[in-house]
Amino acid sequence: MLCKFSYISLLMLLTVNSFGQQKQQYNLASMHEKGKLQAVNREWVKVHSADSYIKVSQQGGEGIVWLPTPDFKSGTIEVVMRGKDVFQQSFIGVVFHGLNDSTYDAVYCRPFNFFAEDSVRRIHAIQYISHPVYTWKKLRAEQNALYEKGLLLPPDPNDWFTMKLIIDATTIRAFINDATTPSLQVKKLNERQTGKIGLFTGDNSGGDFMSVIITN
């Protein structure tokens, strides 16, 4: 009986440890200082404040800051980020299942549309894309309002907010701050099941990013 009890106890400990090791929090400012971030079509600097963060430069084209994380398959990705309420100058989000600089999935927000008076702009607040095939232009032209939505409880477009993605083999759900209902729920548009994670900024856009939590 003693041997059996010891075996069961050890198994429970290993299970708990295994789950604990799957959750990782990444301090982006610290990673920048250690030279662990890799930027594509962007530059960034560390900003010292009450909470340090990285500021990604505002440039044309789409930019990615790749994180030195293991390939991600399924689970959750939470990012604390900040854009600005300036029309067409704030596209910020997360890249996942990335194969390279041009082949990846992403979910991003357009803070300048969070409280837009135009109802059409408001439903373009959060977007899913799957490059290189399914760009936002293609999705909007062929399947309008399916892969982009308005936010249920929009945050201040000039302040920090959290976007949490829950990703499985076929479905992506995006939650803003403490919302319990997803603002966006879509089916994946490709068969990739694993890949790199990065920070996303769209055309003529920069953004501020504080931390990322990844749970596999």
Side-chain angles (χ1 to χ4, degrees), residues 58 86-91 110 112-113 121 203-205:
Q58 183 172 334
V86 179
F87 183 61
Q88 299 287 38
Q89 292 189 27
S90 191
F91 308 87
R110 302 181 178 99
F112 56 85
N113 282 338
R121 280 182 51 196
D203 269 351
N204 194 34
S205 172

Side-chain angles (χ1 to χ4, degrees), residues 197-211:
I197 290 176
L199 309 173
F200 177 88
T201 50
D203 269 351
N204 194 34
S205 172
D208 300 334
F209 297 88
M210 187 179 297
S211 65

Side-chain angles (χ1 to χ4, degrees), residues 144-160:
N144 188 34
L146 182 58
Y147 293 96
E148 53 186 336
K149 299 288 184 180
L151 298 186
L152 302 174
L153 296 170
D156 182 340
N158 294 301
D159 203 356
W160 294 102

Side-chain angles (χ1 to χ4, degrees), residues 1-65:
M1 288 296 294
L2 179 60
C3 292
K4 183 177 180 182
F5 176 80
S6 299
Y7 172 78
I8 294 173
S9 299
L10 178 61
L11 182 61
M12 290 175 65
L13 284 172
L14 290 174
T15 302
V16 171
N17 287 339
S18 176
F19 276 103
Q21 290 169 358
Q22 297 304 307
K23 186 172 183 177
Q24 291 288 334
Q25 180 165 354
Y26 297 89
N27 182 301
L28 299 173
S30 175
M31 294 170 73
H32 164 61
E33 283 188 334
K34 296 174 182 177
K36 293 185 176 181
L37 302 178
Q38 179 185 358
V40 179
N41 197 32
R42 287 295 188 272
E43 297 178 354
W44 69 95
V45 296
K46 175 183 175 181
V47 177
H48 293 278
S49 63
D51 295 299
S52 295
Y53 60 95
I54 62 169
K55 179 178 287 293
V56 178
S57 63
Q58 183 172 334
Q59 296 174 221
E62 292 174 342
I64 301 173
V65 177

Side-chain angles (χ1 to χ4, degrees), residues 136-147:
W136 72 266
K137 289 183 180 180
K138 179 178 177 66
L139 293 174
R140 187 176 296 179
E142 298 178 359
Q143 303 181 72
N144 188 34
L146 182 58
Y147 293 96

